[in-house]
Each structure stands twice: as structure tokens, then as C-alpha cells.
């Protein structure tokens, strides 16, 4: 069976119509309704920061990398930034609606270590290997965000939040699958890049947030048996990529939780 090319994967992605159109955000989100529970201010500030930082930090950073010069991925990144910006704006509006103060965006987000590694790579290595690493890293982050939002949506009794998440989850899922599909294609072509990506991910990947952006509120969502959700919805999916069957991202999450004294149940093997 012929594999799809990067251009074909992107074409399939762009054929899907945006969910969070102005009509959706104004007509299908019931902004006039009150919530039945008070949202966790720290959790939703964290979420709003993660989404908003895409436009002001991640996007500009990535424009300077080999991904930003790739003819297909660079175009995807522009749409990704636009959609993530919308997500940040919706969560900011939700915070304001529920009377939660919006804090300034953090100055340091934990990506410094990632880009420092890239800057130290030889020029002839940084191109292809960086793009493959970026696709796997992006898939891991998007699957993590997706699992977080799905968990919050399941627990939500707030009609406004539920409507926001219904739209955001669809778009985040599309982002995740784009990263995942490109990563699968690229990893399947290079044993070296499989080893390189597995090594860097094992050493450096961690839940989004460090420095001034504390992921504690999000990690608490995966407390107790929630770690099994992460195992099934994030680690298992990354393990299906070529050469990454033994990459256990769950360990990075457990380590972050241990540092913050967040309890979790023992790990189980991801379901396939």
C-alpha cells in the first residue's frame, strides 16, 4: 500500500473545515448561561496561557527552525497558530465571564532546553532530524492536551465550558493527527532519526510548562487513575510510531507529579 506523502497529509488536513468559526463562537456557545460549578482558576489560567503562547512564543520560535522553512509544515504552522490563538481567546473570554483574573503571559515556558539542543546540532543534522523530532514532540504535546481537555469535558457541568471544549477538542485532535501522521512517515524512512528522536524525547520531553509556567494544575487532572488515561491516550499512541515502541512518556509525567507530591496509581502497560 502506497504511503501518503507529506503534501497529501497536509491536503487532507486542510480539507477539513474549521470548527471554531465566528458563527460557532457566537451562536453555539451559550455565553449567557451560568455555570453550576466554580472553575479552578489556576487550571484555566494554565490552559489559557498554553494556548495564547502559541502565537507569541512557539510560532515565532518555530519560524526560525527547519520546520519553519519546510514547504508543507510551514504552511501548517500558520494555520496551527491561528487556531491555537482562537482557543486562547475563547478561554480568556471564559475566564472573564466567570470572574477569574487573567494573569500576564509567562516569560519562560520550558522550551528553552528544547531549542538549546537544536542550536547545538550540526547544520547538516539539524534539518531533517529536527523536523522529525518536532513532529513527534508536537504529537506528544497535542495528545496530552487532547487527553486533558477530554478529561475536563467529561467532568464539566458548565454549559459554556462544555461548548468551548467541544469545538477545541475537534481542532486539537486534528492537530495531533497531523503531527502524528507526518512523524510516522518520516520515522519510517530513517533508522537514525528513530534513535535520535527516541533519545532526545527520553531526555528532554516533559509536560508543557516549566520555568514560569507551572503545569501542576494540569497534572492534578491525571492524579490517581488519571495516569492510566495518559498512558492509554498519549504514551500508547507515541509507541505506535516507528522505532518508538519503548519510549515511555508516562515516566516523565509521573516524575513531574512526584516532584509536586501529586498521587497516582501504578503504571499499567498501554492498551493497543
Amino acid at each position: 500500500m502506497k504511503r501518503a506523502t507529506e503534501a497529501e497529509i497536509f491536503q487532507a488536513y486542510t480539507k477539513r473545515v474549521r470548527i471554531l468559526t465566528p458563527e460557532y463562537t457566537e451562536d453555539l456557545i451559550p455565553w449567557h448561561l451560568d455555570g453550576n460549578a466554580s472553575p479552578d482558576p489556576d487550571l484555566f489560567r494554565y490552559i489559557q496561557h498554553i494556548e495564547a503562547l502559541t502565537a507569541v512564543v512557539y510560532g515565532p520560535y518555530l519560524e526560525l527552525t527547519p520546520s519553519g522553512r519546510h514547504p508543507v509544515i510551514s504552511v501548517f504552522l500558520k494555520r496551527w497558530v491561528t487556531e491555537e490563538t482562537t482557543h486562547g481567546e475563547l478561554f480568556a473570554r471564559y475566564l472573564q465571564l466567570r470572574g477569574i483574573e487573567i494573569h500576564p503571559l509567562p516569560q519562560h515556558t520550558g522550551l528553552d532546553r528544547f531549542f538549546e539542543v537544536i542550536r547545538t546540532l550540526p547544520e547538516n543534522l539539524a534539518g531533517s532530524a529536527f523536523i522529525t523530532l518536532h513532529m513527534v514532540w508536537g504529537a506528544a504535546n497535542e495528545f496530552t492536551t487532547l487527553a486533558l481537555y477530554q478529561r475536563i469535558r467529561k467532568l464539566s457541568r458548565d454549559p459554556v465550558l462544555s461548548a468551548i471544549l467541544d469545538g477545541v477538542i475537534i481542532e486539537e485532535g486534528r492537530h495531533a493527527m497531523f503531527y502524528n501522521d507526518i512523524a510516522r512517515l518520516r520515522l519510517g524512512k530513517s533508522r537514525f532519526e528513530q534513535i535520535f528522536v527516541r533519545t532526545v524525547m527520553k531526555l528532554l520531553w516533559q509536560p508543557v510548562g516549566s520555568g514560569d509556567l507551572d503545569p501542576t494544575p494540569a497534572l492534578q487532572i491525571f492524579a490517581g487513575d488519571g495516569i492510566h488515561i495518559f498512558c492509554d491516550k498519549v504514551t500508547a499512541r507515541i509507541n505506535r510510531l516507528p522505532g518508538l515502541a519503548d519510549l515511555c512518556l508516562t515516566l516523565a509525567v509521573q516524575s513531574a507529579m512526584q516532584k509536586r507530591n501529586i498521587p497516582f496509581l501504578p503504571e499499567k502497560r498501554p492498551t493497543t
Side-chain angles (χ1 to χ4, degrees):
M1 182 176 177
K2 182 177 178 291
R3 291 181 179 179
T5 65
E6 292 176 344
E8 288 169 339
I9 292 171
F10 178 67
Q11 188 176 44
Y13 169 75
T14 56
K15 283 183 178 178
R16 298 183 175 94
V17 178
R18 275 214 72 180
I19 300 299
L20 294 172
T21 61
E23 291 76 20
Y24 183 102
T25 59
E26 296 305 323
D27 299 339
L28 298 182
I29 298 177
W31 298 105
H32 62 285
L33 296 181
D34 292 330
N36 296 323
S38 299
D40 178 347
D42 291 333
L43 173 61
F44 285 96
R45 287 191 190 107
Y46 169 84
I47 289 173
Q48 189 268 328
H49 280 173
I50 288 295
E51 299 287 358
L53 281 166
T54 298
V56 298
V57 177
Y58 305 155
Y61 249 137
L62 290 169
E63 285 181 359
L64 304 176
T65 69
S67 295
R69 298 188 292 272
H70 188 281
V72 171
I73 295 171
S74 61
V75 181
F76 162 77
L77 290 174
K78 288 181 172 61
R79 177 163 169 174
W80 173 71
V81 166
T82 298
E83 294 183 354
E84 297 281 315
T85 299
T86 299
H87 302 173
E89 291 170 349
L90 288 174
F91 284 121
R93 185 172 173 181
Y94 174 70
L95 287 171
Q96 292 174 326
L97 183 70
R98 296 295 178 246
I100 299 173
E101 181 183 1
I102 299 175
H103 291 174
L105 293 178
Q107 298 299 310
H108 303 286
T109 64
L111 275 183
D112 300 13
R113 294 174 66 203
F114 177 74
F115 285 104
E116 187 58 39
V117 169
I118 302 309
R119 282 193 290 269
T120 62
L121 293 175
E123 182 63 28
N124 62 341
L125 173 63
S128 180
F130 170 83
I131 293 172
T132 306
L133 173 61
H134 173 203
M135 294 298 100
V136 176
W137 195 292
N141 283 354
E142 294 287 352
F143 282 136
T144 300
T145 301
L146 192 59
L148 174 66
Y149 290 174
Q150 289 171 335
R151 178 85 159 165
I152 295 171
R153 175 64 181 88
K154 184 177 181 180
L155 300 173
S156 173
R157 297 296 180 267
D158 186 324
V160 177
L161 177 61
S162 296
I164 293 172
L165 286 172
D166 285 344
V168 169
I169 284 170
I170 293 174
E171 293 194 343
E172 292 288 354
R174 292 174 180 175
H175 300 166
M177 293 314 300
F178 176 86
Y179 281 113
N180 186 77
D181 291 348
I182 297 291
R184 181 183 303 280
L185 180 64
R186 298 181 68 88
L187 286 167
K189 296 178 180 179
S190 172
R191 178 60 181 162
F192 167 76
E193 290 187 9
Q194 292 176 15
I195 296 170
F196 171 75
V197 168
R198 186 172 66 247
T199 301
V200 175
M201 291 290 292
K202 185 176 181 179
L203 289 173
L204 294 182
W205 188 87
Q206 56 189 324
V208 178
S210 62
D212 297 335
L213 186 60
D214 184 6
T216 299
L219 290 170
Q220 289 171 336
I221 296 293
F222 295 118
D225 64 354
I227 194 67
H228 294 166
I229 294 174
F230 181 90
C231 191
D232 288 340
K233 293 193 173 184
V234 183
T235 297
R237 285 168 168 166
I238 297 300
N239 288 161
R240 296 187 190 110
L241 294 173
L244 303 185
D246 60 348
L247 178 62
C248 187
L249 299 183
T250 308
L251 294 177
V253 174
Q254 290 174 324
S255 175
M257 294 172 80
Q258 284 178 326
K259 291 176 182 177
R260 295 163 175 82
N261 296 315
I262 300 173
F264 55 86
L265 295 182
E267 180 191 4
K268 66 173 183 177
R269 278 301 301 170
T271 57
T272 57

